[in-house]
Amino acid sequence: DSGVTQTPKHLITATGQRVTLRCSPRSGDLSVYWYQQSLDQGLQFLIQYYNGEERAKGNILERFSAQQFPDLHSELNLSSLELGDSALYFCASSVAPTSGGGETQYFGPGTRLLVL
Amino acid sequence: EDQVTQSPEALRLQEGESSSLNCSYTVSGLRGLFWYRQDPGKGPEFLFTLYSAGEEKEKERLKATLTKKESFLHITAPKPEDSATYLCAARAQKLVFGQGTRLTINP
């Protein structure tokens, strides 16, 4: 158990809908990362927050957005869902964005999203 | 563009048959090379972080090494429970993952 929690575990929804995925980082971790994993793309970095502020953006679509709250939990909002958005969505956390030569990211169990 | 390539894509071994997985990386200003293990439908589980060429780390039957261009994950006398996908990731500005090596250990 990494200490990172994600809810829900599974989500089934229809095209055009909007969903919210939630992540609670490990105790003491200030940085939260979101990743998408699909069969053909592997793990793709979406976005990073550090202590409530956006720190880095990856391959995140405009239909997707995220935020980190004062209690450090984070939410990933996916809207106007398409069939191709079906994937595993992982949250990871680390102590800080930079720590010596690099920080270790600890991953949650993921949310499996199926868009029908 | 930062890139990480893992080989082979899949590897099937007999229990006790040692082997190595390769991770080649091209990143500007490497700030860490990470190895993760991922079981089907689960989140990646952290194994090792390597920071500089020549560094080695070990954990049970696994040993990770790092050069200036690649990293190896050596598996010694593997057991069926070592079956998983092993992911390598290089961090510069962000963490870039390889596609993984799917390892199967047959009893």
Side-chain angles (χ1 to χ4, degrees):
Chain A
D1 184 355
S2 67
V4 179
T5 60
Q6 290 186 247
T7 56
K9 286 186 179 179
H10 303 278
L11 203 47
I12 301 175
T13 188
T15 55
Q17 294 298 304
R18 172 189 169 97
V19 297
T20 298
L21 312 183
R22 182 187 169 105
C23 167
S24 293
R26 295 186 321 155
S27 176
D29 284 0
L30 298 177
S31 204
V32 170
Y33 310 77
W34 286 97
Y35 290 84
Q36 180 191 58
Q37 187 176 42
S38 54
L39 282 175
D40 57 343
Q41 291 286 329
L43 260 171
Q44 298 290 315
F45 169 68
L46 296 177
I47 197 165
Q48 177 198 358
Y49 278 81
Y50 173 67
N51 205 19
E53 297 198 358
E54 183 183 302
R55 188 69 178 233
K57 260 187 175 179
N59 305 319
I60 189 166
L61 299 172
E62 284 193 12
R63 300 183 284 109
F64 296 0
S65 65
Q67 54 184 326
Q68 186 179 27
F69 295 86
D71 67 352
L72 301 177
H73 91 272
S74 177
E75 293 181 356
L76 179 68
N77 300 296
L78 315 176
S79 61
S80 302
L81 285 167
E82 302 175 359
L83 295 177
D85 297 327
S86 296
L88 271 167
Y89 290 85
F90 290 105
C91 166
S93 73
S94 68
V95 173
T98 57
S99 172
E103 83 293 355
T104 297
Q105 294 180 25
Y106 294 89
F107 282 76
T111 293
R112 183 178 293 278
L113 174 65
L114 180 59
V115 182
L116 301 175
Chain B
E1 185 181 336
D2 296 339
Q3 199 166 0
V4 175
T5 304
Q6 291 187 245
S7 62
E9 287 187 14
L11 181 62
R12 189 177 293 269
L13 301 172
Q14 289 298 121
E15 184 173 0
E17 181 184 0
S18 302
S19 188
S20 296
L21 313 182
N22 176 266
C23 169
S24 297
Y25 62 91
T26 308
V27 300
S28 301
L30 182 73
R31 285 169 24 195
L33 189 293
F34 301 81
W35 282 96
Y36 288 85
R37 169 195 169 125
Q38 186 175 26
D39 293 301
K42 302 285 182 65
E45 175 190 344
F46 170 71
L47 293 173
F48 303 109
T49 308
L50 302 166
Y51 293 111
S52 55
E55 189 174 358
E56 299 183 351
K57 287 196 177 169
E58 283 188 71
K59 179 181 177 180
E60 295 180 358
R61 295 177 291 282
L62 300 177
K63 180 168 119 176
T65 62
L66 181 65
T67 72
K68 287 186 178 180
K69 292 184 178 181
E70 54 192 352
S71 178
F72 293 93
L73 185 65
H74 308 278
I75 301 177
T76 302
K79 298 182 178 181
E81 53 262 41
D82 294 322
S83 298
T85 295
Y86 289 85
L87 299 169
C88 163
R91 177 161 180 100
Q93 294 301 315
K94 61 182 182 180
L95 200 59
V96 177
F97 278 85
Q99 291 291 94
T101 293
R102 191 171 62 255
L103 177 66
T104 304
I105 308 298
N106 295 317

